[in-house]
Amino acid sequence: MIAIFLASLLLGTVSGLMAGLFGIGGGLVIVPVLAVLFAGQGFPAELVMIMSVATSLATIIFTSISSVLAHHRLNSVLWDKVLAMGPGIMIGAAVGAVVADHIAGDVLRFIFIIYLLAVGVQMALQLKPKPGQKQPSKELDFGVAGIMGLLSSLLGIGGGTLTVPFLVHFQTPMRNAVAIASACGLPLALVGTMGYALLGKDASQLPEWSLGYIYVPSFLGIVLTSIYTAPIGAKLAHKLPAEKLKRYFSLLLFVMAGKLIWF
């Protein structure tokens, strides 16, 4: 437990910096690293991925609060859009936790590998969403938000990589799209975390210090450091060539995907 806690402190430091520097959710880094850590510590194979996803999602609660407050102070959050998408995202997040609880660990691992590769390609090629021509209907907002909530909860991510392209496509300025995605990440993380905690309450073979599928030592370690390093990463984004660094970061994503294939 001590070894994983110390490793999680380091993981939180790195994931916070990456999240701030590249504008991505920390789950992109947290989930694959936790999976390797948990497997190395002898956690039951069928629990490794779901505990990694659940623990990552729990940490997003705190990073989302910090991010939302910062965006709100800058008047970037369009709260009417958050309210329109929020219910769908929360329903999707709850369904995602249930789906994760009912599929094999290897299937969940395969889904996350596909996600890592997709984001890696997007970063390597510098692909950016293109603005569309019209505003979506409330029904489309709700339906797409539900799908995003489900996938984000299933993957243990804040959903920004899914939400931002959708918003930009429908003529939302990038600055507002990022702020809206941050605000939507909070209810997503809250509902998903509660789902994983309740669904894993009676699971067999859970390691000591688990709250359902959430591994508390890792959760604490990541939160304690990432809340301090995320703002540092955001400041570095204005000083370093972040666009060029994204290509190097994409290589790391490909390596992590490869590690998940053979771990």
Side-chain angles (χ1 to χ4, degrees), residues 25 36 38-39 45 48 77 97 110 136 186 188 249 256 259 263:
V36 173
F38 291 167
V48 166
V77 184
F110 176 76
L186 181 54
L188 157 68
F249 184 66
M256 289 193 294
K259 182 65 177 177
F263 89 112

PDB file of all heavy atoms in Angstrom, residues 25 36 38-39 45 48 77 97 110 136 186 188 249 256 259 263:
ATOM      1  N   GLY A  25      -7.462  15.544 -20.069  1.00  0.00           N
ATOM      2  CA  GLY A  25      -7.794  15.018 -18.753  1.00  0.00           C
ATOM      3  C   GLY A  25      -6.675  14.131 -18.230  1.00  0.00           C
ATOM      4  O   GLY A  25      -5.993  13.448 -19.004  1.00  0.00           O
ATOM      5  N   VAL A  36      -0.759  -0.807 -14.703  1.00  0.00           N
ATOM      6  CA  VAL A  36       0.547  -1.463 -14.582  1.00  0.00           C
ATOM      7  C   VAL A  36       0.935  -1.607 -13.103  1.00  0.00           C
ATOM      8  O   VAL A  36       1.424  -2.655 -12.673  1.00  0.00           O
ATOM      9  CB  VAL A  36       1.619  -0.676 -15.356  1.00  0.00           C
ATOM     10  CG1 VAL A  36       3.005  -1.253 -15.092  1.00  0.00           C
ATOM     11  CG2 VAL A  36       1.317  -0.694 -16.850  1.00  0.00           C
ATOM     12  N   PHE A  38      -1.094  -1.693 -10.413  1.00  0.00           N
ATOM     13  CA  PHE A  38      -1.964  -2.656  -9.726  1.00  0.00           C
ATOM     14  C   PHE A  38      -1.609  -4.091 -10.122  1.00  0.00           C
ATOM     15  O   PHE A  38      -1.598  -4.994  -9.276  1.00  0.00           O
ATOM     16  CB  PHE A  38      -3.433  -2.374 -10.049  1.00  0.00           C
ATOM     17  CG  PHE A  38      -3.958  -1.083  -9.454  1.00  0.00           C
ATOM     18  CD1 PHE A  38      -5.182  -0.558  -9.872  1.00  0.00           C
ATOM     19  CD2 PHE A  38      -3.251  -0.397  -8.485  1.00  0.00           C
ATOM     20  CE1 PHE A  38      -5.678   0.624  -9.326  1.00  0.00           C
ATOM     21  CE2 PHE A  38      -3.726   0.783  -7.932  1.00  0.00           C
ATOM     22  CZ  PHE A  38      -4.936   1.293  -8.352  1.00  0.00           C
ATOM     23  N   ALA A  39      -1.327  -4.305 -11.399  1.00  0.00           N
ATOM     24  CA  ALA A  39      -0.940  -5.645 -11.848  1.00  0.00           C
ATOM     25  C   ALA A  39       0.377  -6.056 -11.200  1.00  0.00           C
ATOM     26  O   ALA A  39       0.540  -7.199 -10.762  1.00  0.00           O
ATOM     27  CB  ALA A  39      -0.828  -5.675 -13.371  1.00  0.00           C
ATOM     28  N   ALA A  45      -6.452 -10.094 -11.552  1.00  0.00           N
ATOM     29  CA  ALA A  45      -6.417  -9.637 -12.950  1.00  0.00           C
ATOM     30  C   ALA A  45      -7.744  -9.041 -13.394  1.00  0.00           C
ATOM     31  O   ALA A  45      -7.773  -8.052 -14.131  1.00  0.00           O
ATOM     32  CB  ALA A  45      -6.026 -10.800 -13.856  1.00  0.00           C
ATOM     33  N   VAL A  48      -8.046  -5.291 -12.123  1.00  0.00           N
ATOM     34  CA  VAL A  48      -7.014  -4.290 -12.418  1.00  0.00           C
ATOM     35  C   VAL A  48      -7.572  -3.107 -13.209  1.00  0.00           C
ATOM     36  O   VAL A  48      -7.399  -1.943 -12.829  1.00  0.00           O
ATOM     37  CB  VAL A  48      -5.830  -4.933 -13.169  1.00  0.00           C
ATOM     38  CG1 VAL A  48      -4.936  -3.861 -13.787  1.00  0.00           C
ATOM     39  CG2 VAL A  48      -5.004  -5.792 -12.218  1.00  0.00           C
ATOM     40  N   VAL A  77     -17.470  29.920 -18.959  1.00  0.00           N
ATOM     41  CA  VAL A  77     -18.440  28.828 -18.891  1.00  0.00           C
ATOM     42  C   VAL A  77     -19.809  29.314 -19.360  1.00  0.00           C
ATOM     43  O   VAL A  77     -20.363  30.260 -18.800  1.00  0.00           O
ATOM     44  CB  VAL A  77     -18.552  28.257 -17.465  1.00  0.00           C
ATOM     45  CG1 VAL A  77     -19.497  27.061 -17.461  1.00  0.00           C
ATOM     46  CG2 VAL A  77     -17.185  27.861 -16.927  1.00  0.00           C
ATOM     47  N   ALA A  97     -20.663   3.083 -15.625  1.00  0.00           N
ATOM     48  CA  ALA A  97     -20.150   2.328 -14.476  1.00  0.00           C
ATOM     49  C   ALA A  97     -20.761   0.929 -14.432  1.00  0.00           C
ATOM     50  O   ALA A  97     -20.072  -0.056 -14.141  1.00  0.00           O
ATOM     51  CB  ALA A  97     -20.457   3.089 -13.186  1.00  0.00           C
ATOM     52  N   PHE A 110      -9.047  -3.411 -23.706  1.00  0.00           N
ATOM     53  CA  PHE A 110      -9.023  -3.230 -25.159  1.00  0.00           C
ATOM     54  C   PHE A 110      -9.676  -1.896 -25.550  1.00  0.00           C
ATOM     55  O   PHE A 110      -9.154  -1.169 -26.406  1.00  0.00           O
ATOM     56  CB  PHE A 110      -9.758  -4.389 -25.838  1.00  0.00           C
ATOM     57  CG  PHE A 110      -9.879  -4.247 -27.331  1.00  0.00           C
ATOM     58  CD1 PHE A 110      -8.786  -4.497 -28.157  1.00  0.00           C
ATOM     59  CD2 PHE A 110     -11.068  -3.839 -27.903  1.00  0.00           C
ATOM     60  CE1 PHE A 110      -8.887  -4.353 -29.539  1.00  0.00           C
ATOM     61  CE2 PHE A 110     -11.183  -3.691 -29.281  1.00  0.00           C
ATOM     62  CZ  PHE A 110     -10.093  -3.951 -30.101  1.00  0.00           C
ATOM     63  N   PRO A 136     -26.854  22.727 -32.290  1.00  0.00           N
ATOM     64  CA  PRO A 136     -27.593  21.464 -32.142  1.00  0.00           C
ATOM     65  C   PRO A 136     -28.908  21.677 -31.407  1.00  0.00           C
ATOM     66  O   PRO A 136     -29.073  22.640 -30.661  1.00  0.00           O
ATOM     67  CB  PRO A 136     -26.640  20.611 -31.302  1.00  0.00           C
ATOM     68  CG  PRO A 136     -25.878  21.607 -30.491  1.00  0.00           C
ATOM     69  CD  PRO A 136     -25.711  22.821 -31.375  1.00  0.00           C
ATOM     70  N   LEU A 186     -17.403  17.642 -13.947  1.00  0.00           N
ATOM     71  CA  LEU A 186     -17.655  17.495 -12.510  1.00  0.00           C
ATOM     72  C   LEU A 186     -18.836  16.572 -12.216  1.00  0.00           C
ATOM     73  O   LEU A 186     -18.678  15.603 -11.458  1.00  0.00           O
ATOM     74  CB  LEU A 186     -17.857  18.874 -11.873  1.00  0.00           C
ATOM     75  CG  LEU A 186     -18.102  18.886 -10.368  1.00  0.00           C
ATOM     76  CD1 LEU A 186     -17.001  18.137  -9.620  1.00  0.00           C
ATOM     77  CD2 LEU A 186     -18.202  20.328  -9.854  1.00  0.00           C
ATOM     78  N   LEU A 188     -20.108  14.413 -14.171  1.00  0.00           N
ATOM     79  CA  LEU A 188     -19.707  13.122 -14.720  1.00  0.00           C
ATOM     80  C   LEU A 188     -18.872  12.347 -13.705  1.00  0.00           C
ATOM     81  O   LEU A 188     -19.140  11.171 -13.418  1.00  0.00           O
ATOM     82  CB  LEU A 188     -18.907  13.352 -16.004  1.00  0.00           C
ATOM     83  CG  LEU A 188     -17.947  12.252 -16.471  1.00  0.00           C
ATOM     84  CD1 LEU A 188     -18.728  11.033 -16.902  1.00  0.00           C
ATOM     85  CD2 LEU A 188     -17.059  12.751 -17.587  1.00  0.00           C
ATOM     86  N   PHE A 249       4.381  13.830 -26.825  1.00  0.00           N
ATOM     87  CA  PHE A 249       3.457  13.200 -25.881  1.00  0.00           C
ATOM     88  C   PHE A 249       2.680  12.076 -26.559  1.00  0.00           C
ATOM     89  O   PHE A 249       2.360  11.065 -25.930  1.00  0.00           O
ATOM     90  CB  PHE A 249       2.491  14.247 -25.326  1.00  0.00           C
ATOM     91  CG  PHE A 249       1.564  13.715 -24.269  1.00  0.00           C
ATOM     92  CD1 PHE A 249       2.045  13.280 -23.045  1.00  0.00           C
ATOM     93  CD2 PHE A 249       0.198  13.633 -24.499  1.00  0.00           C
ATOM     94  CE1 PHE A 249       1.197  12.787 -22.068  1.00  0.00           C
ATOM     95  CE2 PHE A 249      -0.662  13.146 -23.524  1.00  0.00           C
ATOM     96  CZ  PHE A 249      -0.156  12.719 -22.312  1.00  0.00           C
ATOM     97  N   MET A 256       2.304   3.611 -23.964  1.00  0.00           N
ATOM     98  CA  MET A 256       1.384   3.151 -22.920  1.00  0.00           C
ATOM     99  C   MET A 256       0.361   2.162 -23.496  1.00  0.00           C
ATOM    100  O   MET A 256      -0.019   1.188 -22.842  1.00  0.00           O
ATOM    101  CB  MET A 256       0.688   4.337 -22.254  1.00  0.00           C
ATOM    102  CG  MET A 256       1.618   5.156 -21.365  1.00  0.00           C
ATOM    103  SD  MET A 256       0.779   6.338 -20.278  1.00  0.00           S
ATOM    104  CE  MET A 256       0.109   7.465 -21.488  1.00  0.00           C
ATOM    105  N   LYS A 259       2.131  -1.053 -23.826  1.00  0.00           N
ATOM    106  CA  LYS A 259       2.305  -1.671 -22.508  1.00  0.00           C
ATOM    107  C   LYS A 259       1.019  -2.344 -22.042  1.00  0.00           C
ATOM    108  O   LYS A 259       1.045  -3.443 -21.474  1.00  0.00           O
ATOM    109  CB  LYS A 259       2.743  -0.587 -21.494  1.00  0.00           C
ATOM    110  CG  LYS A 259       3.014  -1.121 -20.088  1.00  0.00           C
ATOM    111  CD  LYS A 259       4.192  -2.058 -20.069  1.00  0.00           C
ATOM    112  CE  LYS A 259       4.506  -2.529 -18.659  1.00  0.00           C
ATOM    113  NZ  LYS A 259       5.603  -3.511 -18.622  1.00  0.00           N
ATOM    114  N   PHE A 263       0.859  -6.145 -20.947  1.00  0.00           N
ATOM    115  CA  PHE A 263       1.197  -6.161 -19.521  1.00  0.00           C
ATOM    116  C   PHE A 263       0.613  -7.394 -18.845  1.00  0.00           C
ATOM    117  O   PHE A 263      -0.306  -8.026 -19.342  1.00  0.00           O
ATOM    118  CB  PHE A 263       0.683  -4.874 -18.855  1.00  0.00           C
ATOM    119  CG  PHE A 263      -0.715  -4.937 -18.319  1.00  0.00           C
ATOM    120  CD1 PHE A 263      -0.948  -4.884 -16.974  1.00  0.00           C
ATOM    121  CD2 PHE A 263      -1.819  -5.061 -19.166  1.00  0.00           C
ATOM    122  CE1 PHE A 263      -2.252  -4.921 -16.462  1.00  0.00           C
ATOM    123  CE2 PHE A 263      -3.096  -5.095 -18.677  1.00  0.00           C
ATOM    124  CZ  PHE A 263      -3.321  -5.042 -17.324  1.00  0.00           C
TER     125      PHE A 263
END
